[in-house]
Amino acid sequence: MQGYVINFTAGEVVRNQRLKVSKTLRGTHSGIVNEMLDVLDCRKDRYIEPTTANVQMIANNQSPFGVIRQCQQMASTLEDGSPTYLFYETAPF
């Protein structure tokens, strides 16, 4: 008897492991997240909630998802100023 384990992952995850970002990023956190998804060549439909405050961040040899995680920790929503900002993907069915 043989068994096989097959794992699937999104293409963005593979590209994230290979890419590093080293530059100064300016704009809102939501704009920076959108820019990082462009770097990953993400062609999926996106809904990115607008965030407050223009910021300047230095991405020093970080992965795009690392920059997005950093934005998650600092962002607050434009609508009600809530300090909770999530980044997730839903599977299309």
Side-chain angles (χ1 to χ4, degrees), residues 38-68:
D38 287 341
V39 167
L40 290 170
D41 194 27
C42 178
R43 297 180 185 158
K44 298 173 184 168
D45 292 337
R46 305 176 197 176
Y47 172 73
I48 300 175
E49 187 173 4
T51 56
T52 60
N54 284 323
V55 295
Q56 180 174 324
M57 296 174 53
I58 298 173
N60 190 13
N61 205 27
Q62 287 181 297
S63 69
F65 283 169
V67 174
I68 291 172

Side-chain angles (χ1 to χ4, degrees), residues 16 19-27 29 32-33 35-36 39 55-71 74:
N16 180 64
L19 294 174
K20 298 296 180 193
V21 178
S22 293
K23 66 179 187 175
T24 302
L25 303 164
R26 293 179 179 89
H29 290 108
I32 293 171
V33 168
E35 184 178 343
M36 290 298 103
V39 167
V55 295
Q56 180 174 324
M57 296 174 53
I58 298 173
N60 190 13
N61 205 27
Q62 287 181 297
S63 69
F65 283 169
V67 174
I68 291 172
R69 271 192 298 279
Q70 191 174 353
C71 287
M74 298 185 299

Side-chain angles (χ1 to χ4, degrees), residues 6-18 37 40-44 65 87-92:
I6 300 174
N7 295 312
F8 296 95
T9 188
E12 290 84 3
V13 173
V14 175
R15 285 189 290 277
N16 180 64
Q17 293 174 346
R18 294 180 179 171
L37 292 174
L40 290 170
D41 194 27
C42 178
R43 297 180 185 158
K44 298 173 184 168
F65 283 169
F87 174 64
Y88 63 94
E89 179 180 2
T90 56

